[in-house]
Each structure stands twice: as structure tokens, then as C-alpha cells.
Amino acid sequence: MQILKRVKSKLNARVVFPCAAALIALVLIVLVCIFAGNATNMRNEYAMARNSLGEDLYRNLRLFTRSYDGVTLAGADVEGSILPSMRDYYLAAVTLDDAIATAYGQRYLLLDETTREAITNAFEAFDDAFAQGRSTGDAVSNMSACVQGVDQLLNTRYDAETRLLPA
């Protein structure tokens, strides 16, 4: 007859609880790393989207200012060509500026109300001068000041890679 020996279980509370705690800690560390990586990726995606919108805003405002360059040239079609293209670029820029400010906060708003009002008034001065057959000298002065202000904004609020900087 063979004697059966009872095998003592080496798994007791002093061994199981620390192992379980270590396993739970390891799982939590891995989850934190995964979530931190995902958060970083999302921040990078948001920054890329903001930069893309900012580049489009920059391009439209740069084209707005460059369209104005020919206003003082003799024979320039100010009413039929230059001002309509400027309006198109300006409206696109305002739309993008509003979208950026809504999505990323007011710190990224480029065209404040004062600038927008000045540009609108300059366009209206041209419209009034053309409608009444008057000289566009005052309108040219107003728009020149607006274009210089926009150029200055572009130079101060964008970095070398045309990324929009917060105010």
C-alpha cells in the first residue's frame, strides 16, 4: 500500500494578493500609456487641422492684399475685376477666420471687429464713389490702410512655416 502524501498548496493569500496587485498595476500602466498615446495623436491631429485652416486663411488674406496692388495702375479695372476678386478673397478669409475661432478659441481669431468694419467701410466707400461718379481717392486711402493692417497682421500672427499663432 502506497502512502499518499498530502501536497501543501503553496498558493496562499500572502502570495496571491501581491501577484494580483502587481498584475493590476501592470494593466493600469499599459492602459495609461495607450490613452496618453491616443491623446497625443488627437492633439497632433487637431494642430494639423488648425494649421491647415490657418494656411488657407493666410493664402486668402495674402491674395486679398496682392489683388489690391494694381488699384493705382493706370487703366486698372478696379470696379470690374480688382474689387470683386478682393471681396471673394476677403469673404473666404472671414469664413475661415470664424471657423478657426469657433473650433480653436478666440485666441486664434485673426480679424477683429475693428479690422472687419474698416475693410467693409472701405469696400462701401468704393461702391459709393462708383455709384455717385466721384473720385475714389478716399476709398483708395481707406483700403490702403486696411491692406497695410492685414499685411502687418500676417507678419505678426504667422510664423515662418505659415502657422497661425495665438494672440
Side-chain angles (χ1 to χ4, degrees), residues 64-65 68 86 90 111 114-123 139-153:
F64 165 78
T65 61
Y68 183 71
M86 286 180 69
Y90 175 68
L111 301 170
T114 305
T115 304
R116 291 178 185 206
E117 188 175 321
I119 293 172
T120 300
N121 290 340
F123 277 126
V140 168
S141 295
N142 292 342
M143 188 60 83
S144 294
C146 293
V147 167
Q148 287 174 352
V150 169
D151 268 336
Q152 188 175 24
L153 272 174

Side-chain angles (χ1 to χ4, degrees), residues 14-113:
R14 286 190 301 186
V15 173
V16 172
F17 289 136
C19 289
L23 181 62
I24 290 171
L26 179 64
V27 168
L28 288 175
I29 290 171
V30 169
L31 288 175
V32 166
C33 290
I34 289 171
F35 289 132
N38 286 341
T40 299
N41 287 341
M42 282 198 293
R43 276 193 300 273
N44 289 340
E45 298 264 338
Y46 286 134
M48 286 181 3
R50 184 186 64 237
N51 291 339
S52 177
L53 287 171
E55 287 173 4
D56 289 343
L57 174 61
Y58 180 88
R59 183 180 48 79
N60 278 293
L61 286 175
R62 186 58 69 196
L63 290 171
F64 165 78
T65 61
R66 293 303 151 241
S67 296
Y68 183 71
D69 288 345
V71 165
T72 57
L73 297 176
D77 185 12
V78 176
E79 186 177 14
S81 177
I82 293 175
L83 286 178
S85 64
M86 286 180 69
R87 281 185 211 272
D88 291 343
Y89 292 129
Y90 175 68
L91 291 175
V94 167
T95 302
L96 287 167
D97 195 34
D98 289 341
I100 291 170
T102 300
Y104 300 102
Q106 292 297 312
R107 300 177 326 149
Y108 288 96
L109 184 69
L110 186 66
L111 301 170
D112 61 11
E113 286 303 314

